[in-house]
Amino acid sequence: MANDTTETLDPNRREFVMVAAGAFAGIGGAASLWPLIDQMNPDASAEALASIEVDLAPVEEGQAITVLWRGKPVFIRNRTDAEVKASTSVKMTDLPDPDARNEVLPGDAPATDVNRTKEGHEKWLIIVGICTHLGCIPKGQGLTDNKGEFGGWFCPCHGSHYDTAGRIRKGPAPRNLDVPPYKFISDNKIVIG
Amino acid sequence: MSHPSSYEPTNGFSKWLDKRLPVLRMMHGQFVEFPTPRNLNYLWTFGAILSFCLVVQLITGIVLAMHYIPSGDHAFESIEHLMRDVNWGWLMRYSHAVGASMFFVAVYVHMARGLYYGSYKDPREVLWILGVLIFLLMMATAFMGYSLPWGQMSFWAVTVITNLFSSFDAILPGAGTAIVRWIWGGYSVSETTLNRLFSLHYLLPFILVGVVALHIWALHVVGSNNPAGVEIKSSSDSVSFHPYITMKDGFAMSLFWVAFAWLIFFAPNYLGHADNYIEANPLQTPPHIVPEWYFLPQYAILRAVPDKLMGVIAMFGSIVVLFFVPWLDTARTKSAKYRPIFKWFFWLFMFTCIALGYLGAKPAEGSYLLWSRIFTAYYFIHFLIIMPIVGVMETPKKLPNSITDDVLGKSGSSAATSATGGGETAPAAPENR
């Protein structure tokens, strides 16, 4: 009989078929999990909202506005000379997080004031207004808000203090506030994203 | 526990069914004649109370889902509509919200009882582990349910808790952020997030029912522990489940229901936060965010640790450590009644849990933070150091020879029995019934 002959000729043949079939079914089963997992990732419409234009003209010196980008608040502050000076005079060794956290710069760029703003537009600080600890919105945008010990922002949830360049100075937050990707399309217009 | 069945089908139908699916025989065996230690106190009624809580949550939850709209624009509104316009909607919602709190009251009592009387020890390790699993599922379900009203507290609780996963960035940069975006389905907590939380909030209770069934199955294999911590040895040690335990459970449940009803009708919002009656606003964090009372101890542990990743690990560790309790406790004597040293550590541990709960509600600064750290450290010291060491060092008091002796007030007379922890080496085999 053909079957017997085959097994006599190659006793490993059946085992190979078993392993191959099992592996095929296993890989197929695992692969079919991916769509079920990936459907939870941000969808096309969430990605599509990824860029906005903001007019800076109405923001006076010393004022701040909050805009919504990708569902997140973005803080835009027109800093006073004193605030810029307070930020530039900080020694790098005083910073808990020494990295610039600026999406357009390399990861190891130092967190200098220059690296967290745009050249020629140093008075404008544009940062994502989400505390890097557990995602609360820090206070400091309103004129009467508690701005923390360093004159920038203060997160009421767990007590993180940020300075006038949005850098973490005190409290549990691990990182400086993120600088989103943006560019100036004219002297007082920016595109975020 | 295996015991010979005395079930006699009485009519034609039950005889016919018994040959095909002996479900009535099983129910009779497990919930009528099931031998239960005769010395159980009222702390043992919380198992039944918890089953009752789960049923209340399921029924009221299914009703709420008929009126709730899981959408960023309408969720908050639909809850207000439910409260004001739907017939009895306020009763359903308050029962569900208060019910969650009562569920946790009962589960904490149930767990504390297990810890005091050593209900996790041989042969009940699997029973205990299933219980911890139930606790974890309860926590996940409660958290997801709390997000659904889409008030300020809902929104920011989801934000803070999901952000816990971003701490994995400290291990593998980008991994934590990717997980958080995956959970959110976007770049921030949004309607997309709300929808998936609603879906899972509806799913998890049914998984909970499955694990509870396993928990009860495991209980009925090894039998209930009891305040003496010695196993059933003869028929005089036990009573049948019905009517003795059913009546006692029923009475305790009635008292529990009085407290439950008092909260529903007189103080339905007492355990909640007023801020959750403000609609979710992604641009404004409430000045003081705290979780519901039943998560305060875990929250205190999270905030006590200055490092973000370590805080998250400590918080989850405070639950995970419970899985190992059957092996961390080295004592062979089950009940803390007979453990003169451990008993005091048990009460110190209870105080620690309550203190952490108090501190979790306070701002994390100054002396509150210092005490959070001390009690967090003690929480882990209790399990990882006190339990193994005290179990070895301590000389237990003499155990009663049997449950019957315990009930009749006879003190232990055989040193050999107490040395082996009450003859637990041959547990749960009442062959003489």
Side-chain angles (χ1 to χ4, degrees), chain A:
Chain A
M1 289 195 290
N3 216 4
D4 280 348
T5 330
T6 322
E7 278 200 42
T8 332
L9 283 175
D10 187 359
N12 289 328
R13 189 185 152 115
R14 175 158 298 191
E15 202 177 320
F16 171 77
V17 171
M18 288 286 286
V19 170
F24 189 77
I27 292 168
S32 68
L33 282 179
W34 178 243
L36 292 172
I37 294 167
D38 192 38
Q39 53 84 21
M40 283 177 67
N41 272 320
D43 60 27
S45 69
E47 302 280 1
L49 297 171
S51 136
I52 56 162
E53 202 178 291
V54 184
D55 183 10
L56 302 180
V59 187
E60 301 286 332
E61 190 173 293
Q63 281 187 336
I65 58 165
T66 307
V67 296
L68 212 55
W69 172 68
R70 285 180 168 182
K72 303 174 185 180
V74 171
F75 292 165
I76 300 174
R77 193 188 274 195
N78 188 348
R79 298 184 295 174
T80 60
D81 288 341
E83 285 174 333
V84 176
K85 206 169 167 222
S87 167
T88 46
S89 60
V90 173
K91 277 185 277 178
M92 287 299 112
T93 47
D94 289 346
L95 298 173
D97 176 16
D99 295 332
R101 306 288 170 192
N102 187 338
E103 277 196 42
V104 299
L105 293 178
D108 57 353
T112 56
D113 193 73
V114 177
N115 277 346
R116 291 181 55 81
T117 51
K118 286 272 186 272
E119 206 181 336
H121 303 281
E122 280 85 359
K123 65 177 188 165
W124 292 101
L125 182 70
I126 293 158
I127 48 178
V128 175
I130 293 180
C131 182
T132 57
H133 181 228
L134 291 174
C136 296
I137 312 293
K139 296 264 165 211
Q141 289 293 89
L143 288 173
T144 55
D145 279 2
N146 178 359
K147 292 183 165 66
E149 289 176 23
F150 300 89
W153 289 267
F154 170 71
C155 183
C157 288
H158 307 101
S160 291
H161 299 254
Y162 295 93
D163 67 12
T164 53
R167 295 172 297 202
I168 181 68
R169 300 298 292 276
K170 187 179 169 190
R175 289 182 291 114
N176 300 327
L177 293 175
D178 289 320
V179 178
Y182 67 93
K183 56 176 185 270
F184 278 85
I185 49 174
S186 71
D187 263 357
N188 43 26
K189 250 197 187 132
I190 57 166
V191 171
I192 306 177

Side-chain angles (χ1 to χ4, degrees), chain B residues 220-259:
Chain B
H220 281 226
V221 171
V222 295
S224 292
N225 185 31
N226 62 79
V230 293
E231 301 294 337
I232 294 176
K233 288 173 190 161
S234 66
S235 57
S236 71
D237 287 345
S238 69
V239 291
S240 58
F241 192 79
H242 181 75
Y244 298 99
I245 306 299
T246 45
M247 286 304 115
K248 189 169 183 167
D249 283 350
F251 177 63
M253 227 182 266
S254 310
L255 294 181
F256 187 79
W257 182 230
V258 170

Side-chain angles (χ1 to χ4, degrees), chain B residues 83-222:
Chain B
M83 291 297 291
R84 292 155 198 265
D85 302 337
V86 175
N87 298 337
W88 302 102
W90 60 272
L91 180 64
M92 295 300 144
R93 174 158 176 266
Y94 281 155
S95 300
H96 199 72
V98 171
S101 277
M102 295 305 282
F103 208 156
F104 276 96
V105 168
V107 87
Y108 282 135
V109 173
H110 193 64
M111 290 165 78
R113 193 237 39 222
L115 287 171
Y116 185 80
Y117 291 109
S119 299
Y120 45 83
K121 287 186 198 177
D122 183 14
R124 298 187 179 81
E125 301 93 329
V126 172
L127 175 61
W128 172 263
I129 288 170
L130 286 167
V132 180
L133 210 56
I134 289 169
F135 179 52
L136 270 176
L137 281 170
M138 272 178 70
M139 293 174 84
T141 310
F143 160 70
M144 289 171 182
Y146 192 59
S147 71
L148 303 182
W150 216 230
Q152 274 290 66
M153 281 295 177
S154 300
F155 184 90
W156 292 100
V158 175
T159 302
V160 168
I161 300 300
T162 50
N163 259 308
L164 294 177
F165 293 97
S166 69
S167 60
F168 291 121
D169 278 342
I171 302 172
L172 181 66
T177 310
I179 293 171
V180 172
R181 280 186 189 159
W182 177 72
I183 294 172
W184 286 347
Y187 298 97
S188 58
V189 174
S190 66
E191 172 176 289
T192 317
T193 323
L194 177 65
N195 271 287
R196 56 190 60 177
L197 292 176
F198 179 54
S199 166
L200 294 174
H201 182 69
Y202 209 110
L203 166 73
L204 285 188
F206 295 97
I207 293 178
L208 206 48
V209 169
V211 185
V212 167
L214 289 178
H215 189 65
I216 295 173
W217 184 5
L219 172 71
H220 281 226
V221 171
V222 295

